[in-house]
Amino acid sequence: MPLGEIDYLPQGMMQDRDQFLGEVEQFLEPIGLMRFSYAVFSGAGDAAGDTFFKLESNYPIDWATRYQGLHYDQIDPVIEVARMSRAPFLWGGGGFLKQFRKRQRQVFHEASEFGIAHGVSIPISGRHGLELVTFTAENRSVVRQAFADHGGKLIVAGYHIADALNALAAQPDEAEGRMPLTPRERESLIWVAEGLTSQEIAGKMNISASAVNYHLNNAGQKLSARNRHHAALLALKKQWI
């Protein structure tokens, strides 16, 4: 059965991440939605980057890197709404944004430059915290029509996406003799273990602080860590750094 149907067999369980994300894109294309994301939030932190945040998406890499590097998850209006209600909801436009602070609205203005202006989000209470599946488009009418015509299918697909990506993340790469961290992720964690900040690590690695945060977020996801310091500790225990 295809994605979004009750009896869907999650092909993503037997594929790699990129293959499954491609399957999601194929599902969304005839509906008229172009972008999607799956996010998990665990714990409470601050702007120093200690909040665990996991993001899988087909968003433009520049936007995904900026969003994670600047910790926009901590001020994103969509996430704020999702924390207060577990019901699916539509978002976007001035009517939605007027209730939020200027800094929060700025996240939306920046996202719209990448074609992420309107969407529908499905909050899910997961084992590791709040999970949120989001489908987006540039045009408000496209999102509203898609939800009117395919709302039930989109909600079911949201749960399928969360289940499949959770299963893929849980695959024991190390048991198969593979070291799942990239060289950049390993180096970032090594400097975290030495007590350096993102800005200091950026200087050591000759990259931006946003890129450092991006690598640390990815490493934290792979290690199921609560924050960057926990990720460094787990990597040390596994002898990955």
Side-chain angles (χ1 to χ4, degrees):
M1 298 293 287
L3 185 69
E5 301 293 338
I6 295 295
D7 296 327
Y8 167 69
L9 175 62
Q11 297 295 322
M13 303 292 189
M14 297 164 284
Q15 298 172 340
D16 64 25
R17 168 189 172 278
D18 290 339
Q19 287 176 308
F20 179 68
L21 296 184
E23 185 179 345
V24 178
E25 290 180 343
Q26 291 176 8
F27 162 73
L28 290 175
E29 184 176 4
I31 296 176
L33 302 175
M34 302 301 295
R35 302 287 184 184
F36 66 91
S37 67
Y38 165 72
V40 182
F41 319 93
S42 179
D46 56 27
D50 285 339
T51 296
F52 173 64
F53 177 72
K54 166 185 173 181
L55 178 68
E56 293 278 3
S57 75
N58 70 341
Y59 290 165
I61 187 63
D62 288 348
W63 173 242
T65 301
R66 180 173 179 80
Y67 186 98
Q68 294 186 87
L70 294 177
H71 306 288
Y72 278 167
D73 57 287
Q74 297 177 26
I75 60 172
D76 188 340
V78 173
I79 292 178
E80 183 170 322
V81 173
R83 289 188 185 280
M84 295 185 294
S85 173
R86 294 299 182 267
F89 60 95
L90 297 165
W91 52 261
F96 174 78
L97 288 177
K98 66 181 181 181
Q99 59 186 307
F100 298 101
R101 303 188 307 274
K102 181 178 180 180
R103 189 178 176 213
Q104 291 179 288
R105 296 196 298 271
Q106 183 61 34
V107 175
F108 261 64
H109 297 324
E110 292 182 25
S112 66
E113 296 177 4
F114 295 89
I116 304 165
H118 300 269
V120 55
S121 292
I122 299 111
I124 300 168
S125 296
R127 291 184 304 163
H128 304 294
L130 173 64
E131 303 177 26
L132 187 66
V133 177
T134 296
F135 306 111
T136 75
E138 288 190 73
N139 188 284
R140 176 177 180 267
S141 62
V142 170
V143 173
R144 291 187 174 275
Q145 192 63 52
F147 194 66
D149 294 343
H150 308 283
K153 184 179 291 188
L154 288 170
I155 292 170
V156 172
Y159 281 85
H160 289 158
I161 290 167
D163 288 345
L165 290 175
N166 270 316
L168 285 167
Q171 290 177 355
D173 286 352
E174 65 272 25
E176 299 173 13
R178 298 198 301 270
M179 215 294 296
L181 299 179
T182 67
R184 288 292 199 185
E185 290 164 359
R186 291 183 67 243
E187 186 176 358
S188 298
L189 287 174
I190 288 169
W191 290 121
V192 167
E194 293 291 332
L196 273 64
T197 66
S198 291
Q199 196 63 50
E200 292 168 334
I201 295 171
K204 295 283 188 181
M205 297 176 63
N206 197 29
I207 59 177
S208 69
S210 294
V212 170
N213 290 330
Y214 176 74
H215 294 308
L216 289 173
N217 277 321
N218 286 341
Q221 170 188 333
K222 293 175 181 178
L223 287 156
S224 297
R226 291 188 295 274
N227 54 54
R228 61 176 61 190
H229 305 294
H230 186 216
L233 177 61
L234 292 174
L236 283 166
K237 287 182 177 180
K238 293 176 180 289
Q239 298 184 335
W240 289 353
I241 62 172

